[in-house]
């Protein structure tokens, strides 16, 4: 019953090396067994001892040897080889584990990615190419397969970073009796057709962008606060310390027409004043007697009384200077009428009515 009860793991590495393992400590706890194999068929078999043993705590738990043909026979015996404990015949081609894909290339076109690799020298029809990918937002790998040795997939977002890994698989049950795949090719990171060291670079670039924008907003906020404080300070400064008027704006013609030449400006100003005086005509001053001769006589008797003067020229021109120059002459007991007003002049007192 031992010969059919032992479970073994058989792997043919790309039809180049064979590896057969067994549970040594569970199956043969007290004995260190020996292993022999042959690729020959018929009666004239030549058995070969295992060239390289695999150990499990100093117990022989497997054997590694070169693949020499499609048909294999194995035998496990006791330590001195006198008793056979397990034997089996098998097709080595049904236990092939392919090598990793070679020269893997990625071709990006818009949202479509095509992954391809070199074709193996043998058994291409028994192989399929598998790619797995995920973005930084995916928790699990997405898988796609196709015939060796090219596979394409659509729907990739050019703004996302994706992780890719590729391997070859053997078809079951047409070519293998067990599901054997190659080891994964080294994981690569892509974003919109650009190869990256890792998707962390994308996160770092995003975080750097956020930091830069935050700094810019902070600077703009500080500048706005400073402008507000500056405006308030200027208002406070004007209220506390009034600004000294600039003579440039008061005497605009001094600086605009005479370039600050005060003597030239004052000479021209004097000429303008003289010309203005010459053009001025003294308003007519008409004296009208409001009282009758009887009043005049009574005034002569009773003493000095007020006289009423009407200044028609000053009233017509409505020019205060003209009225002052023409008619405001200190006269005792005199009443002057000017521009609708009456001015009473009694001795040194002037009263406007």
């Amino acid at each position: 019953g031992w010969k059919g009860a032992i479970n073994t793991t058989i792997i043919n590495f790309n039809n180049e090396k064979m590896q057969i393992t067994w549970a040594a400590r569970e199956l043969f706890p007290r004995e260190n067994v020996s292993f022999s194999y042959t690729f020959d068929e018929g009666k004239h078999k030549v058995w070969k001892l295992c060239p390289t043993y695999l150990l499990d705590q100093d117990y022989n738990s497997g054997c590694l040897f070169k693949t020499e043909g499609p048909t294999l026979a194995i035998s496990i015996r006791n330590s001195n080889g006198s008793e056979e404990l397990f034997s089996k015949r098998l097709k080595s081609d049904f236990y092939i584990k392919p090598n990793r894909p070679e020269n893997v290339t990625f071709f990006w076109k818009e949202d479509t990615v095509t992954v391809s690799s070199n074709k193996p020298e043998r058994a291409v029809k028994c192989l399929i190419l598998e790619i797995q990918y995920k973005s930084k937002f995916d928790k699990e790998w997405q898988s796609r397969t196709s015939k060796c040795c090219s596979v394409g997939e659509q729907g990739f977002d050019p703004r996302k970073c994706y992780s890719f890994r590729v391997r070859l698989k053997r078809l079951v049950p047409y070519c293998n009796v067990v599901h054997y795949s190659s080891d994964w090719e080294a994981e690569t990171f892509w974003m919109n057709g650009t190869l990256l060291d890792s998707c962390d670079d994308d996160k770092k670039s995003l975080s750097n962008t956020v930091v830069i924008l935050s700094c810019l907003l902070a600077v703009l906020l500080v500048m706005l606060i400073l402008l507000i404080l500056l405006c308030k300070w200027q208002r406070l400064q004007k209220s506390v310390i009034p600004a000294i008027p600039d003579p440039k704006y008061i005497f605009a013609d001094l600086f605009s027409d005479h370039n600050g030449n005060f003597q030239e400006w004052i000479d021209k100003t004097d000429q303008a004043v003289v010309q203005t005086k010459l053009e001025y005509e003294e308003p007519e001053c008409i004296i009208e007697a409001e009282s009758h001769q009887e009043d005049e006589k009574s005034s002569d008797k009773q003493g000095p009384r007020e006289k009423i003067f009407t200044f028609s020229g000053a009233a017509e021109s409505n020019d205060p200077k003209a009225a002052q120059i023409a008619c405001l002459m200190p006269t005792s007991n005199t009443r002057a009428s000017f521009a609708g007003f009456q001015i009473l002049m009694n001795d040194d007192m002037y009263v406007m009515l």
Side-chain angles (χ1 to χ4, degrees), residues 306-309 333-337 342-345 353:
E306 59 182 13
K307 292 183 180 181
I308 300 174
F309 297 87
N333 300 330
T334 302
R335 176 179 292 179
S337 174
Q342 290 184 350
I343 301 174
L344 177 63
M345 294 173 284
L353 303 177

Side-chain angles (χ1 to χ4, degrees), residues 181-244:
S181 303
S182 70
D183 295 333
W184 289 105
E185 184 66 17
E187 188 175 349
T188 55
F189 307 92
W190 295 82
M191 181 176 180
N192 196 21
T194 303
L195 180 64
L196 304 176
D197 293 335
S198 68
C199 283
D200 293 336
D201 296 341
D202 181 43
K203 296 178 182 178
K204 289 180 181 178
S205 62
L206 181 62
S207 61
N208 292 337
T209 304
V210 172
V211 170
I212 292 172
L213 291 177
S214 301
C215 292
L216 289 176
L217 290 175
V219 170
L220 292 176
L221 182 60
V222 171
M223 292 178 64
L224 180 61
I225 294 174
L226 290 177
L227 287 175
I228 294 173
L229 293 177
L230 181 61
C231 292
K232 290 187 175 182
W233 169 251
Q234 289 179 350
R235 291 181 181 178
L236 180 63
Q237 190 177 20
K238 287 181 180 180
S239 61
V240 176
I241 307 175
I244 300 175

Side-chain angles (χ1 to χ4, degrees), residues 30 42 61 74 100 110 156 164 167 201 208 213 246 255 268 285 287 298 307:
R30 300 179 182 179
S61 61
I74 60 175
R100 293 177 179 178
E110 296 179 353
F156 290 94
F164 286 90
R167 68 179 178 180
D201 296 341
N208 292 337
L213 291 177
D246 192 345
F255 296 96
K268 187 174 181 180
C285 184
I287 302 174
S298 61
K307 292 183 180 181

Side-chain angles (χ1 to χ4, degrees), residues 288-304:
E288 294 182 356
E290 284 188 351
S291 59
H292 297 286
Q293 292 180 357
E294 291 85 1
D295 296 334
E296 291 178 358
K297 291 178 180 180
S298 61
S299 62
D300 291 339
K301 293 178 181 180
Q302 297 176 2

Side-chain angles (χ1 to χ4, degrees), residues 141-157:
W141 290 94
Q142 305 294 324
S143 182
R144 295 292 181 272
T145 58
S146 181
K147 293 182 179 180
C148 186
C149 290
S150 179
V151 57
E153 180 63 14
Q154 295 179 339
F156 290 94
D157 190 344

